Amino acid sequence: MIRDAKKEWLIALTLIAPFAAIYGLVFVYPTIDMFLLSFTDAPLIGAGDYVGLENYTRLTSDRRFDTAVWNTAWFVVLSVIPGTFVALGIALAVSRLSGRLQTAVLALFFLPYILPVSVIYLIWDWTLNFQFGIAMHIFDALGIDRIPVFKSATWFIPAVALITVWWTCGFNVLLFLAGLRAIPQEIYEAAALDNAGRWKTFSRVTWPLLWPITALNFTIQLILQMKIFDQVYLFSQGGRPNDNLVMVYYIFQRAFQNNHGGRAAAVAVVLFFIVIVVSVLNFQLMRFAERKQ
Amino acid sequence: MTPQTARRANLAGGAITILTVVCAVIWAFPLYWGIVSSLKPEDEVVRPYIELWPDTLTFEHYVHALTATQIGRWYLNSIVTAVGTTVLTILTSIFCGYALSQLRFPLRRPLYWLILASFMVPTQVLIINHFVLVANMGLLNTWAGIILPQLIHPVIIIIYKQFFDQVPKEFREAAVMDNASEWRILFKVFVPMNWGVTTALSIVVFIWSWNAFLWPFLAATKTEWMTITVGITQVNDAFGIYYARELSLAVLAGLPVALAYLLFQRQVTRAITLSAGIKG
Amino acid sequence: MADIVLDHVSKSFGKVRVIDDLSLTVQSGEFIVFLGPSGSGKSTLLRMIAGLETIDRGRLLIGGRECQTVAPGQRNVAMVFQNYALYPHMTVRENMVFGLRNIGMASDEIRRRVEEAARILEMDQLLDRRPSQLSGGQRQRVAIGRAIVKEPAAFLFDEPLSNLDAALRVRTRVELAELHHRIGTTMIYVTHDQTEAMTMADRIVVLNDCRIEQVGTPMEVYTAPASRFVAGFIGSPAMNFLPVEVINSDGQALATLDDGSTIGLPPDIAGRGRLDLGVRPENVGIVGEGGMTTGKVKVVEHLGDRTIVYVVLGDGTPVTAQTGGHSQVRAGEVVGLTFDVEGARLFGTDGLAQDQAAAI
Ligand SMILES: Nc1ncnc2c1ncn2[C@@H]1O[C@H](COP(=O)(O)OP(=O)(O)OP(=O)(O)O)[C@@H](O)[C@H]1O
Ligand SMILES: [Mg+2]
């Protein structure tokens, strides 16, 4: 096509400018700023002195950092793995249905995902309330001792992970459903002609074809849950935040509650690299898996 | 298949269907329980047994929420920031996606890769610097301050690029033969041809923004600047805890997004699958 | 209305030369068809005229105005795309109006033109529909309407009928020819379908492999193909090519086939030596005995009004003959063949017709 290269460049520039300005201001600049800040002893707001790697070396003997790292890892394990399988189960069940029933059932499973975290918090804080929560009635009925889940260092992370699975599962269900829909019907018909039972059909047909979506689901959740903050913060209110720390929470605490901008930035940099490394590894792994297929 | 095994398979299928429905109901039960509890008087809420329907149905907690808290103000903050974020994100993404898809200019590839790479960067780690930046700009406790850091959604750009890529090149050529300027090609041909995507993406960006917690929580240090998502967690009654009141706040905060979802179910699910990189 | 002159134009995609030093003059008001096999560069040439492809070298004149660097919209030509490219979100009227609005035309004038186009194409009742609510044939008409309202100097069509079913294609073909007759605007039409080319064109431009093989009226192209390629490409079943040795004997031109039989040629035919004799199937006769040569029938196709007979000569040369509808010939028979050499052509090893070669 006859293209006026200069004019096109100008138009492109105009179109990209708004995005580029915002991107530079709230993405590129803060990222660079974060690195710079992590080498200083600055408070949250205001200048500080250059301290080299001190903020990083201090992390090695920082008990709260340790807690944050382990809690995050524990949370990731407890939310991602069950989350994937529960979502797969729901998706398989929902995909069997059709018409309005399917829409309705899917809506019931999906509804929590659409709600803000604070709503989830209030509902579950109430449901698992030590004195009056409906879950405790059920515990009583089953003869289990009541547990003040959000006040207990042992149960806090598992409980929040469980609630997170309940909250975000709908998203993963959608992805699985999209994956299931992408499997051609003829393959199932062929399997039926071969007299394959339900389990055989699943293990020999559905599961292998669903594997890429499972990997995608897993990856998305993994990266998402490493950045957990909201639920942990909310459920810790009035509890024992120092036992429940996760990475982002620790950044928040250092920066906003202890007024240590520099030290918080160092934690942020660590998390930044962990997420990037995991993302890149994942990406490579997916590519590798794709090539093998 | 013999008729017998067929019947058995049917029975099993029916049983699985019923089980699925039961599970779905149990799954959503906490939501129901939260709503029902918010409609009970405070003394009924704390009864030591399960009542699936209130003895005395009351809206007193909603009246209280609407009159005694700043929820009206929070609604306004949420609506303004969510709509602002949505409009700005969608507009800038349309522009950028169109340039990436349809125009040839230097640095196009590097820009594309830069945007793809930024998928990986966790915005949560930037909270300190966002806070410093917004504070220095004097935008703490303003709508603009809440909106600004929420404008990074590179995935929306990529989705637009993909959809614009799929428009057959004859449409662009026809428009060029029709003497349309670049702006008219964008707004009169490409955008209208992809209204479906724009609707779907607008709804999800709105929901994301409405539900955002961490940044609005940091950017609003005064209660009157909180969005509803943040505000409802910050209500502390001086004397004791009023569970039903809190739940009525939760219902009020969740209602708009829940309605948006129930009304636009198809678009929401489509947009969410799209945002994960899957063509729905 | 305008004439279009291509003056030594060239075009490459990267290293691939698609149009090579091509010159062509389209008369004002003429219906010109670009005909050629897939990949011969027809679309590219058309798009160069439209401005959708750049012209690397050479000049393009539309109505005397030099246009090779003018923007597509400013060339005063209108294009009808193969898939129509009707804007799906606009009604038929909006589709037609879009281009006029873009140049800021007064709304009275726009209304007049839309009404005029709707009248010409008989589509008043379609104006407020969306393309998705139209049948394939109606869409095609709207696409033409969108071109008509521009009142362009020339219409460019790129295989506009290929998305229609066979019956509709024939009907639309006639309508298009009629339309040209009525509005008399220059039209350039790209197709790989020789029937379309033969029925509609004032002149056909046969393209092959970056080059023009021949320009001529349908009858010229059919009866006097300038090259073996044109001869083989136009006409169905395709022309027969018999390897012959042409000699002069007593002022007579004699062609000797590889099986030894000889055929007398018109005395004035150009070319002597080892050549290919081109004879159209309808000029090959099948006789019981007394033929110029004999061959064995391989396949017989009865098409009702005519019969196609595939014969192999003694030396293995295949010959296709077309005879009347009631031929009794059967496969396996040995038959005699006659050749009506009145319209026969001789082609050299370079593929050029001998009279052409002599002219050069
Ligand atoms: N944008 C392009 N980039 C590279 N090569 C191209 C491009 N467009 C066309 N070509 C090449 O140019 C040659 C001519 O293409 P063109 O589309 O003009 O053929 P055509 O005669 O219209 O064929 P068809 O009948 O299949 O439409 C082909 O070899 C094609 O591969
Ligand atoms: Mg073509």
Side-chain angles (χ1 to χ4, degrees), chain B residues 171 173 175 178-179 184 188 192, chain C residues 47 73 86-87 89 102 150:
Chain B
F171 284 100
E173 292 175 352
D178 272 344
N179 268 309
R184 278 181 71 84
K188 295 284 171 180
Chain C
R47 292 162 56 82
L86 298 176
Y87 310 118
H89 55 287
N102 288 336
K150 289 186 194 156

Side-chain angles (χ1 to χ4, degrees), chain A residues 1-3, chain C residues 51-52 75:
Chain A
M1 194 174 315
I2 300 267
R3 287 169 182 271
Chain C
L52 296 174
R75 295 187 180 191

